[in-house]
């Protein structure tokens, strides 16, 4: 009987180093192309069978047709002994291609990336991404855990090659499919790194800084530490080059295994897209967002600082994720606008506006998440998020209106605004998978409370040059505004999913209920005077 996916290796007779490899097709056939004519060994290995190895004598010209290789099943009592004695550099285990890291030699102190460059079938592109079997590797896990979020380069460039025991390459299910049990046809090329027992703890960090002209500077620092069940990371940055968020890679590195969580909102019927959940990202330092900002470039001239701490606990079927992040920004904006309108009677109007604005913002964010797989069918997820923000804005401007070289009016404004806002969101989700593959049930409840208070002062002086009424030469505005806002939103919903076909399922949002309480109070005090000349 033909054995498909049998590993067929060409080795050097001197030291048994791997020259090249291939896998058999469904008919047990294989082919090597462009092989250098030299003494070779051919070795065939398959899980549960005795490996076979023999010498090859290549002809001086033409191709070589190798005789059929017969593999014999291993007796159960001898299986472990044979596997240890005849360990191959790589072999197929079901749908997983497994590499034995000890069979590929790299210099002392080499990184995992350098080891990957030695593996047949794997390449590293110019950007440091892993390409395996013609596809880009989307996930790198360590001992089955996603320690580095979606940042594959963080794992390959920081793990030591000497600490690696095995490398396993396979197509993993999407996070949605794992959660719901419904096959969605989406596969993610995944590389799992198995560490040696003595290497299952470690740490790494990085520090970068730069200076430029006009007093420009930037600095970033981070440190990560992990063991079998714990992950700890701290990150900080400061600059005056308008960068007010983390880079995408730094965000993944900082959050680690908590970088991606699917379906934590519990919005089975409230998101306006039926029962489909999407992963969304916040790109700026938005005071309304619970998420850590990333890749945000401010306009104007800003001075920014931030610090964050993240801790993840991963053991058995229990995951706990937590992080705190504080960011502040001092932004200056200066602008000058001039606009001229030409009329048919050869007259013109010119308006100019010169302004200077300063925004000072500070944001505290806390995120907690606990997930417990009670058993293979039942999962509970609890999340808590909080934010506290302050924003102070100063604006000074001068406007002029000129008609045919004659000044008509001018206005000076001085405004100030102080805003404080805070919010808390708690969500609990229960999921159950039925015995029928793809059929599942979910229930959620969440409460979001937010409060925002704002005080503002508006002052302006208008000078009307051509006014014929002496009492209206000047107009003053001195106004105090106060706004108090608060809201509380409670939501609950039930979801039932029934598979119809392999990659299609019917979703029914059974109950979606919400209650919102909102209060807004606005106060205004103003004094408007028109002094006489």
């Amino acid at each position: 009987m033909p054995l498909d996916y049998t590993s067929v290796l060409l080795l050097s007779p001197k030291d048994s180093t791997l020259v090249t490899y291939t896998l058999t097709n469904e008919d047990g056939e294989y082919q090597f192309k462009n092989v250098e004519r030299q003494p070779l060994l051919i070795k065939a290995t398959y899980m549960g069978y005795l490996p076979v190895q023999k010498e090859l004598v290549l002809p001086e010209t033409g191709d070589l047709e190798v005789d059929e290789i017969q593999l014999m099943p291993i007796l159960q009592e001898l299986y472990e002994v044979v596997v240890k004695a005849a360990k191959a550099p790589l072999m197929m285990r079901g749908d997983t291609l497994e590499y034995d890291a000890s069979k590929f030699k790299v210099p002392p102190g080499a990184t995992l990336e350098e080891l990957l460059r030695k593996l047949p079938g794997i390449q590293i592109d110019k950007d440091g991404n892993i390409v395996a079997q013609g596809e880009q590797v989307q996930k790198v896990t360590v001992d089955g855990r996603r320690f580095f979020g979606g940042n594959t380069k963080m794992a390959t460039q920081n793990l030591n090659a000497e600490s690696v025991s095995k490398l396993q390459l396979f197509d993993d299910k999407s996070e949605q499919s794992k959660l719901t049990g419904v096959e969605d046809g989406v596969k993610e090329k995944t590389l799992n790194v198995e560490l040696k027992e003595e290497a299952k703890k470690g740490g790494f960090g990085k520090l970068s800084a730069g200076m430029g002209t006009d007093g420009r500077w930037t600095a970033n620092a981070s440190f990560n530490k992990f063991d079998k069940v714990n992950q700890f990371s701290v990150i900080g940055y400061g600059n005056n080059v308008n960068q007010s968020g983390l880079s995408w890679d730094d965000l993944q590195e900082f959050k680690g295994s908590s970088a991606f969580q699917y379906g934590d909102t519990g919005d089975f019927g409230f998101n306006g897209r039926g029962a489909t959940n999407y992963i969304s990202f916040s790109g700026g330092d938005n005071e309304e967002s619970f998420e850590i900002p990333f890749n945000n470039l401010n306009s104007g001239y800003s001075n920014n600082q931030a610090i964050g701490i993240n801790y993840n606990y991963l053991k058995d079927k229990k995951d706990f994720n937590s992080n705190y992040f504080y960011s502040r920004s001092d932004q200056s904006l200066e602008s000058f606008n001039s606009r001229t309108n030409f009329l048919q009677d050869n007259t013109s109007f010119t308006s100019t506006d010169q302004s200077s604005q300063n925004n000072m913002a500070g944001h505290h964010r806390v995120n907690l998440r606990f997930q417990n797989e009670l058993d293979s069918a039942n999962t509970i997820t609890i999340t808590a998020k909080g934010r506290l923000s302050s924003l102070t804005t100063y604006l000074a401007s001068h406007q002029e209106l000129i008609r045919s070289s004659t000044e008509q009016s001018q206005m000076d404004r001085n405004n100030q605004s102080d805003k404080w806002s805070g919010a808390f969101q708690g969500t609990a989700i229960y999921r159950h998978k039925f015995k029928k593959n793809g059929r599942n049930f979910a229930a959620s409840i969440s409460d979001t409370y937010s409060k925002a208070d704002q005080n503002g002062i508006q002052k302006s002086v208008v000078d009307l040059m051509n006014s014929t009424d002496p009492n209206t030469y000047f107009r003053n505005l001195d106004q105090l505004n106060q706004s108090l806002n608060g809201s509380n939103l409670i939501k609950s919903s039930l979801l039932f999913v029934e598979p119809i076909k392999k990659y299609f399922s019917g979703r029914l949002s059974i109950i979606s209920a919400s209650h919102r309480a909102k209060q807004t109070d606005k106060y205004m005090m103003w004094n408007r005077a028109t002094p006489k000349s």
Side-chain angles (χ1 to χ4, degrees):
M1 181 184 69
L3 292 176
D4 56 346
Y5 291 103
T6 298
S7 299
V8 184
L9 320 172
L10 292 182
L11 310 173
S12 171
K14 295 180 181 179
D15 52 10
S16 295
T17 56
L18 181 67
V19 176
T20 186
Y21 88 104
T22 189
L23 301 173
T24 60
N25 61 21
E26 59 184 9
D27 297 321
E29 299 171 342
Y30 61 93
Q31 186 180 47
F32 291 103
K33 295 181 179 180
N34 302 319
V35 178
E36 184 180 347
R37 297 183 185 277
Q38 59 176 319
L40 291 171
L41 298 175
I42 187 169
K43 184 174 184 177
T45 66
Y46 192 86
M47 192 73 173
Y49 288 76
L50 283 168
V52 172
Q53 178 176 301
K54 62 181 181 179
E55 291 186 11
L56 285 183
V57 180
L58 300 182
E60 294 183 2
T61 60
D63 299 332
L64 173 66
E65 185 172 341
V66 182
D67 294 336
E68 184 178 278
I69 300 175
Q70 297 284 341
L71 300 182
M72 301 297 294
I74 303 175
L75 297 176
Q76 186 63 36
E77 56 268 23
L78 297 177
Y79 178 74
E80 186 175 345
V81 176
V82 172
V83 169
K84 289 182 178 179
K87 204 170 184 182
L90 71 163
M91 65 185 305
M92 289 297 300
R93 294 181 181 271
D95 295 331
T96 300
L97 179 60
E98 184 174 281
Y99 297 86
D100 179 5
S102 65
K103 301 296 183 181
F104 301 90
K105 303 302 179 184
V106 292
T111 63
L112 173 58
E113 181 177 288
E114 294 174 83
L115 174 61
L116 292 175
R117 294 181 187 275
K118 298 280 187 178
L119 305 185
I122 294 182
Q123 296 87 37
I124 305 295
D125 67 16
K126 60 182 179 61
D127 297 319
N129 300 309
I130 309 169
V131 179
Q133 300 169 349
E135 299 179 38
Q136 183 170 322
V137 172
Q138 297 166 293
K139 289 194 302 186
V140 173
T141 58
V142 179
D143 292 327
R145 293 285 191 175
R146 202 168 183 173
F147 273 82
F148 300 97
N151 187 1
T152 59
K153 288 177 283 188
M154 185 52 56
T156 60
Q157 295 173 2
N158 287 281
L159 289 177
N160 193 305
E162 295 177 353
S163 66
V164 179
S165 172
K166 300 176 185 176
L167 293 156
Q168 297 163 332
L169 187 66
F170 57 95
D171 291 324
D172 198 11
K173 294 180 179 180
S174 68
E175 296 300 323
Q176 178 179 353
S177 180
K178 290 180 183 178
L179 188 66
T180 63
V182 178
E183 287 288 346
D184 55 11
V186 177
K187 299 295 182 182
E188 297 177 329
K189 186 68 70 176
T190 301
L191 179 69
N192 181 54
V193 182
E194 282 197 16
L195 299 178
K196 297 175 182 177
E197 196 63 32
E198 65 272 16
K200 293 186 177 181
K201 59 180 179 179
F204 56 88
K206 65 180 181 181
L207 174 66
S208 63
M211 296 186 67
T213 58
D214 300 325
R216 298 285 183 161
W217 63 275
T218 181
N220 298 272
S222 65
F223 176 75
N224 295 264
K225 185 176 178 60
F226 67 93
D227 57 32
K228 289 182 180 180
V229 297
N230 300 288
Q231 290 177 271
F232 172 79
S233 59
V234 60
I235 195 168
Y237 69 79
N239 65 77
N240 62 357
V241 292
N242 294 10
Q243 181 72 48
S244 65
L246 298 178
S247 69
W248 175 250
D249 286 346
D250 284 343
L251 179 64
Q252 298 294 297
E253 174 191 340
F254 172 66
K255 297 184 72 174
S257 63
S258 64
F260 287 97
Q261 279 115 22
Y262 172 82
D264 276 359
T265 63
D267 282 348
F268 306 138
F270 295 100
N271 55 13
R273 293 181 286 261
T276 303
N277 286 301
Y278 292 78
I279 297 176
S280 61
F281 304 100
S282 172
D285 206 355
N286 184 351
E287 65 172 308
E288 302 297 328
S289 173
F290 291 105
E291 303 304 321
I292 296 172
F294 74 94
N295 282 353
N296 186 41
L297 285 173
N298 289 332
S299 56
Y301 181 90
S302 65
N303 194 308
N304 312 282
Q305 295 85 38
I307 187 169
I309 299 174
N310 186 84
Y311 172 72
N312 301 325
Y313 175 84
L314 315 167
K315 187 175 182 181
D316 300 327
K317 299 297 183 179
K318 296 181 176 67
D319 289 2
F320 173 73
N321 314 116
S322 62
N323 61 66
Y324 165 77
F325 195 83
Y326 171 73
S327 59
R328 70 169 301 278
S329 178
D330 187 350
Q331 179 190 36
S332 297
L333 295 166
E334 293 187 359
S335 66
F336 177 80
N337 298 302
S338 180
R339 178 178 178 179
T340 301
N341 296 320
F342 296 95
L343 307 180
Q344 292 181 349
D345 59 358
N346 294 326
T347 60
S348 63
F349 284 96
T350 300
S351 60
T352 61
D353 186 351
Q354 184 174 0
S355 66
S356 176
Q357 182 174 334
N358 180 249
N359 301 318
M360 292 178 290
H363 307 288
H364 300 265
R365 294 180 174 91
V366 177
N367 288 274
L368 303 173
R369 180 182 186 270
F370 175 73
Q371 180 169 294
N372 186 9
E373 291 186 32
L374 305 175
D375 50 43
S376 60
N378 300 285
T379 302
I380 292 177
T381 304
I382 299 173
T383 64
K385 301 179 179 182
R387 62 170 174 80
L388 186 64
S389 301
S390 62
L391 174 64
T392 299
T393 299
Y394 297 95
L395 172 65
S397 70
H398 177 76
Q399 297 175 337
E400 291 184 352
L401 177 62
I402 300 173
R403 179 173 182 177
S404 299
S405 302
T406 303
E407 188 170 12
Q408 301 291 308
S409 65
Q410 62 181 20
M411 180 175 70
D412 292 293
R413 288 189 302 163
N414 285 282
N415 297 342
Q416 178 181 340
S417 173
D418 294 292
K419 183 178 181 181
W420 174 92
S421 65
F424 170 81
Q425 183 182 85
T427 304
I429 305 171
Y430 167 74
R431 292 185 174 90
H432 174 76
K433 296 179 184 178
F434 293 91
K435 290 184 178 180
K436 182 178 179 180
N437 190 32
R439 177 186 292 170
N440 60 83
F441 167 80
S444 72
I445 185 170
S446 69
D447 184 12
T448 303
Y449 173 78
S450 63
K451 184 175 177 60
D453 297 339
Q454 184 171 2
N455 295 317
I457 299 174
Q458 291 182 305
K459 294 183 178 182
S460 65
V461 178
V462 180
D463 185 358
L464 301 175
M465 306 293 187
N466 292 337
S467 175
T468 57
D469 184 355
N471 293 323
T472 60
Y473 285 162
F474 298 97
R475 290 181 179 176
N476 296 342
L477 177 65
D478 189 351
Q479 183 174 285
L480 174 64
N481 300 309
Q482 186 179 54
S483 176
L484 307 176
N485 299 279
S487 69
N488 191 44
L489 175 62
I490 300 175
K491 299 187 295 186
S492 181
S493 60
L494 305 178
L495 176 70
F496 179 76
V497 178
E498 176 67 24
I500 299 175
K501 291 185 177 180
K502 184 176 181 180
Y503 297 131
F504 183 76
S505 60
R507 296 167 179 254
L508 174 63
S509 181
I510 304 173
I511 297 177
S512 296
S514 67
H515 173 72
R516 181 190 295 271
K518 187 175 183 180
Q519 181 178 352
T520 301
D521 297 318
K522 293 185 177 181
Y523 304 93
M524 182 182 299
M525 294 183 293
W526 57 278
N527 176 31
R528 180 179 178 183
T530 307
K532 296 182 180 180
S533 59

